[in-house]
Structures are given as structure tokens and as C-alpha cells.
Amino acid sequence: MTTAIHWDSATVRFGDSPNLTVPTVNAELSRGELCVVAGPTGSGKSTLLATVNGAVPHTSGATLAGRVQTLGRDTAAHPPRRLADVVSVVPARPVDAFIASTVEDEIGYSLDRLHLGATTRSRRIDDLLGRLGIAELRTRPLATLSAGQQQRVALVAALAAEPDVLVLDEPTSGLDATGAESFARALQTLTRAAGTTVLLSEHRLERVLEFATSALYLPGDGPAWYGEPRDVLGRAPSTAPVLELSRLLRWDPPALTVTEALAAALTHPLPEPDASLVLPDPPEAVVPRDAVVARVDKLTYRHGPLAAVRDLDLTIRAGEIVALRGDNGAGKSTLLSCLAGVLVPQQGVITVAGQNPARLGRRDRVGAVGLVPADPGELLLTDRVDRECSAADDEADVPAGRTAFVLDALLPGLSPIGNPRSMSGGERQALALAVVLARGPALILLDEPTHGLDYATKARLTTMLRQLAAAGHAVLIATHDTELIAPLASRVVTLAEGRVTADTSTGDALRAQVLRTQVGQIMAPAPLYTVDDVRRELAG
């Protein structure tokens, strides 16, 4: 088979740093391969992707050693403009790569290289939008779309170009379950029918492993591992729930997908009970759980003529961790921004800690409500991690060093002199989370907080949020990450077209299969939804 991408002893280093951002990579991808790039937060995944289209070394400021070839072209001699005819790239923040102002024009720009007639071009746009379930967005300005909708449009535009090589950075992070499934199947069709080689980095491996033909793992402290997904990811220290379950239940070979796990469960008896598997109990609440922290009454917010949130009511109490679900464009981010006082609604009343957040001064607002937006860069203002932490301490009037302490607990080992603008998306996410969590506001608002975070960091975030809830803080999380909701949230609120359509306990949502986790599908009908649930069962 024809080689599509070849890394030959490739390494990447930024500036005069003594450390390699990407340690040695030796791998050869064939045409039609779908390779998943995995690894801890900050291990160099995005930088590795940038070697494929020549952004490294030509536009990134990084130094490339060894050799990288894309379809036989040496990327050291071919900058991105000389590889654009064969490589399409969707960055982690798609809005940064948009060229046009409307959905139709953005996709049309990608189709122009195919020299289609007007009728064929229009039909092709309809077909592509339909594949990812966003046909109704065709005439919308890109600026009016939610982050998840923008991500779908960027993916459609990349698919439209029919590239030989498609490079995707965290492509499913902002997608709802339906969008992620549609996208994964579109990728599978692309690789099989068109022979496109797909290289994608992903932390939520449960969404893509079913379709992967190979995996490339960056451990962060040594050469990359490359090979079959089962072999590579089966020995990774922290990975997808189905693989973690395989380890716990001692399945050999480990299951890679839910289908494989269901078959393994039929042929492997459960291990004997093991008292060493006991997990610590969640922290006990130290405050009454009936105090109202935030209330929303008849809220309506419009972006121009579009009502993102309409006639919405919601109450959040002390000690609650509430998950906010809904399809892309349902109004989740708008609701969070209104609660944070960033947006002022046209109708309705909002109170947080008894006050209207939009009328609070900056210092008072910091103590009442804290928002980590979908783009964490909006919170980060300085050129060094330590300065960002110090500024956050000063603004919130908390003891010096608290933000740095929270950051180290969340993502150990992050360089204090690193520039947030040059860090990975996951590192920026961890820093933004630390800035808000260290303040300890009465209401904590998180918009897709696990974007860019590996499984180990997500587990540490879960522990922190439980501790804050036990201390009386209220937490509202807008997320599509069911594997986060199941072990963390006490309640699930669902939005559709800007309205609350369901408000139930997490347990009821899991039992009704409104929420579906990998472990829940495998262990049904037993009420076990996470690997920790199974671990507790085996312990007792």
C-alpha cells in the first residue's frame, strides 16, 4: 500500500528548551488508515499533527529534527501552502481557521478546488450538511453558531475538500452524541471509499476507537508507541473506560469496543472479591443542601433575531453538581454566560447568591460566580503561568500561592514559566480551571471543562468538584461528556431550543438510559455505570 505519512526519527523542540515537545516518532501510515493519536495532556499531540502539513517547522517557531514525509513530500522543504492541495487540517478551535462568514460559503470554499458545476456544488453542500445533521444551518452566519455547531461546520468543510490526508485535533470534543456518531461514520466512509488517510488526536477515545485502524501514543517522557490500537492503548496508563474495565476484570486480550466487551463478559467469569479495591467514600457535606445559590426565572436571551434561551426557569442549590445537556445550539453556553453576568438577558430575572450578577462589580462577582468558558484563553491574560496564578490570587483576594497549588493538584508538573498562549489546549484548560476553582465562588460554571484533558486529569477534576460541592459550592457543568456526568453529577438538566425539557436525578437518567456510558452498556441490567462502580462491586 502507498505510504501516506512517514515519521523517521522525528523530534520537535521549541526555542532553547532542553526538553523535546515531541520525543522520537517512528511510524508509517498507509493510505486509508485511520490513526488515533493519544497521550497525556501536554504530551505534544497537537504539535505532532502540525508536522504533517508543514506548520512544524515553517510557521510554528519549532525546530524539527529527523524527517517527516507526507505523500512523499518532505515537510522540511514544503510549507503548508505547498501541501494544502493534499492535506486538510481542522484545529482544536475551528473558528481560528474559518475563511468565510457564512456556513454555505465556508463549505463552498472547500469545494472550489473540485471545480464542480453550480447545481452539483449546491447538492453536494446539502449532502454534506445532512451527513452531520446540520442542514438547517446552511444560510447562518458562522458568528451566530455555538462552539459545537462551528465544530461541525469545520468538519463538513474538511470532508468536502476530499483531501488525501485529513488531520483533526480533538474533533469530537464539542459535539453532542448524535453529531459525534455521525462524524465518526462519515470518517469511516471517507477512509474506505476515498482512501483518505485520517490522523486525529482525541482524549475521548470511547468515541473513536471503534473505527481506528492504528494508534500512536505519546507517553510524554520517551519515544512514541505505534501499532494496533489494542496493543498500543492496552498498555497506556490511563485510557478509555472499556479498556479500564478490561484491566479490572482481567480480560486477555483486552476489549477495545463495547461490542467486544459484551462478548468477553459472556466468556470470562468475574474475578473473586478483592478488598484492596475499596475506594474512598465521597466527601461528606458540611453545609445544608437546601440553600438556593442561583435562580433563573423566565429567562430569554436573543442573539439578534435568534432566541438562544427562551422562558427558562432553573434553580440550583448549595452542594449540587448539575449537568447541563443538550444538542449543539440548545442554549447551554448562553445560559452559563447569563448566569455569570457576561450577557444581560432581554427578559427574565437572574439571582446568584441573592444578587443580579450583571450588576456586580468585578471583585464582588469573582466571589459570587466563576465561569470557565468553552475557550479558556478568554480568562488568561499574562505571558507566564506563575504570573497568571499570582494575578488570579490578587484579584480574588485569596492567599498567595492558592491558584498555583490548585493547578499543581489538577495537572502536576506544568512549568511555571510557560507561556499560556504556547501551551497545549489541555494545559490552558487546566490553568483556566485552576484560576476559577481557587477563588471558590458560590456558583461555579464550567463549559465543556474536559476539553483537552486526559483521563487522569479528568479524574482529579472530578475529585476537586466533589470537594467543593461538599463544602457548599454549587456547580453547573455544560457538557456532552457522559463519562464525566455519570460519576460526578447529582442532577441532569436537558435543554432543547433554549428551553428545559427534562430535569431529573443522574441515577434516574442512567437507569432510563437517557445517559449511556460504556460500562453501563456492558454491565446491563446491573446498575453499574462506571469502572469505579464495578470496582466497588468487586470489593464487597
Side-chain angles (χ1 to χ4, degrees), residues 196-238:
T196 299
T197 303
V198 177
L199 182 71
L200 65 89
S201 72
E202 188 60 73
H203 281 294
R204 297 183 62 183
L205 296 173
E206 61 271 14
R207 286 188 159 188
V208 296
L209 278 183
E210 179 180 353
F211 308 100
T213 58
S214 63
L216 206 162
Y217 186 84
L218 301 180
D221 58 358
W225 314 341
Y226 171 71
E228 294 287 331
R230 195 184 321 276
D231 297 335
V232 171
L233 299 175
R235 61 191 179 107
S238 183

